[in-house]
Amino acid sequence: MNRTSIHSAVLAVFCALITPPAVAVTYYVKADGDDARDGLTDATAWRTLGQVNEAVIETGADVMLKSGSSFHQQTLTIDWPGSPSDRVVVGCYYLDPAAGNRETPCHQGASAGNVELPEINGTLESDCRAAANCAYDVAGAVPRSHYDALVRISRSHVTVQDLRLRDSAGRGLTADGRSADSGVISSVT
């Protein structure tokens, strides 16, 4: 090995050691958002879970649904990876006046106990459930069959928290179980 190769190798190792770790991105979604925006703040939040399903691919990316928002006849597939040191978190946020209206996870902050959880709703309405004669595998059902779910976790190191899942034509939440740590589910009703 010549001197130039040794210097290049030492420089590469040094740069790798001082490069800060990547910071996971957080995406925001709210009922009155806009899918044409970047989703990186409340002001530029996306409107649909379909945009999340299409756009989110970064390891450890978090997705926060705004408190009080309802996402009708939509499903969410968490198919981007987390890691042991950077779990994916899908949950709820609100604008905390005590923190300068900053985006705050629903389980934190001064107003945490007074927030309304966001809802992901399927196609079964309460009158259909009461009648107990609903067809699950019909065209347009959300989710598409009684084996599918409103929220589907297909990767490991995922936490789903502070959401309300209602009126599913299938299941509310499923974890594919491809690893020993498919996910943590907390405060999901």
Side-chain angles (χ1 to χ4, degrees):
M1 218 179 205
N2 65 30
R3 182 173 275 208
T4 304
S5 297
I6 292 172
H7 285 262
S8 295
V10 169
L11 181 61
V13 169
F14 178 73
C15 288
L17 291 174
I18 65 167
T19 302
V23 176
V25 65
T26 299
Y27 293 102
Y28 297 91
V29 188
K30 62 183 181 178
D32 60 347
D34 182 350
D35 286 348
R37 311 285 307 263
D38 65 15
L40 296 175
T41 67
D42 176 73
T44 63
W46 291 329
R47 181 182 180 103
T48 67
L49 301 179
Q51 181 66 16
V52 174
N53 294 338
E54 291 178 23
V56 179
I57 59 172
E58 301 91 350
T59 298
D62 296 335
V63 173
M64 297 290 133
L65 309 180
K66 189 167 187 179
S67 169
S69 289
S70 289
F71 301 93
H72 298 285
Q73 297 184 12
Q74 299 181 48
T75 62
L76 176 63
T77 299
I78 305 165
D79 60 358
W80 63 96
S83 71
S85 62
D86 191 10
R87 296 185 68 83
V88 168
V89 176
V90 175
C92 170
Y93 80 97
Y94 69 101
L95 299 179
D96 188 355
N101 281 330
R102 186 181 64 217
E103 296 94 350
T104 305
C106 287
H107 62 278
Q108 297 176 358
S111 302
N114 300 319
V115 296
E116 182 183 352
L117 297 180
E119 291 185 349
I120 300 174
N121 299 332
T123 55
L124 290 184
E125 302 299 330
S126 57
D127 57 340
C128 180
R129 281 195 317 265
N133 63 353
C134 303
Y136 291 93
D137 295 320
V138 297
V142 176
R144 291 179 300 243
S145 81
H146 62 275
Y147 297 109
D148 208 352
L150 293 173
V151 176
R152 189 175 135 250
I153 302 169
S154 66
R155 298 305 284 270
S156 61
H157 304 25
V158 173
T159 298
V160 177
Q161 62 190 23
D162 303 325
L163 300 177
R164 181 167 287 124
L165 308 177
R166 295 185 48 191
D167 300 329
S168 176
R171 298 174 181 169
L173 186 141
T174 60
D176 290 354
R178 292 186 184 152
S179 77
D181 183 20
S182 287
V184 173
I185 296 141
S186 171
S187 301
V188 176
T189 60

